[in-house]
Amino acid sequence: MNSLKLLIASAVAAVATSAFAAEPVKVMDSAKGKVLTGDNGMTLYTFKKDSKGVSNCYDDCAKNWPPLMAASGAKAEGAYSLVDRKDGSKQWAKDGMPLYYWVKDKKMGDVTGDGVGGNWDVAKP
């Protein structure tokens, strides 16, 4: 009977945890105000040449602007969705717009990618 209670308690805890899964990003203060960051604390950006649900940043673009990749089995939640990339991998998006890092940001709080080429904006909460 105790094993059954433990099994039920474990199942309830698993359901409760998945129901309140953490967002795939964090919010941080920067010189540009509050910005979205990845788990590593690095600023995230959006690309004006993307459209909702579609990434147009591949090859050299993706080398300079690495996508915020989603782990296998990640689930979309709230304002955060998943974008299918050409190679079959998944990328996080906010309000449908894919999210990226900038290789020239060197430390948490850097926002050096904002405005690059007139195509990149810091991602805001």
Side-chain angles (χ1 to χ4, degrees):
M1 190 61 147
N2 283 340
S3 295
L4 181 59
K5 286 180 183 177
L6 181 59
L7 181 62
I8 291 170
S10 296
V12 168
V15 169
T17 300
S18 66
F20 299 105
E23 292 179 341
V25 300
K26 298 177 182 181
V27 176
M28 175 183 242
D29 289 320
S30 76
K32 300 282 182 172
K34 293 196 180 299
V35 297
L36 296 179
T37 71
D39 279 342
N40 60 3
M42 300 302 286
T43 302
L44 293 167
Y45 299 86
T46 57
F47 185 37
K48 289 180 181 172
K49 293 184 179 182
D50 285 346
S51 56
K52 285 192 175 192
V54 177
S55 171
N56 289 307
C57 184
Y58 291 94
D59 305 319
D60 286 341
C61 177
K63 288 177 188 170
N64 290 315
W65 300 92
L68 175 61
M69 302 305 295
S72 176
K75 302 286 183 214
E77 182 177 317
Y80 298 94
S81 57
L82 297 168
V83 172
D84 293 321
R85 294 189 56 79
K86 290 193 277 189
D87 65 1
S89 62
K90 304 273 186 195
Q91 176 180 0
W92 282 110
K94 179 169 186 288
D95 299 325
M97 297 304 291
L99 297 169
Y100 305 87
Y101 296 103
W102 170 229
V103 295
K104 293 188 179 179
D105 282 350
K106 299 300 179 195
K107 64 184 183 315
M108 290 187 283
D110 281 355
V111 288
T112 64
D114 192 43
V116 169
N119 289 312
W120 294 92
D121 297 307
V122 293
K124 298 282 189 164

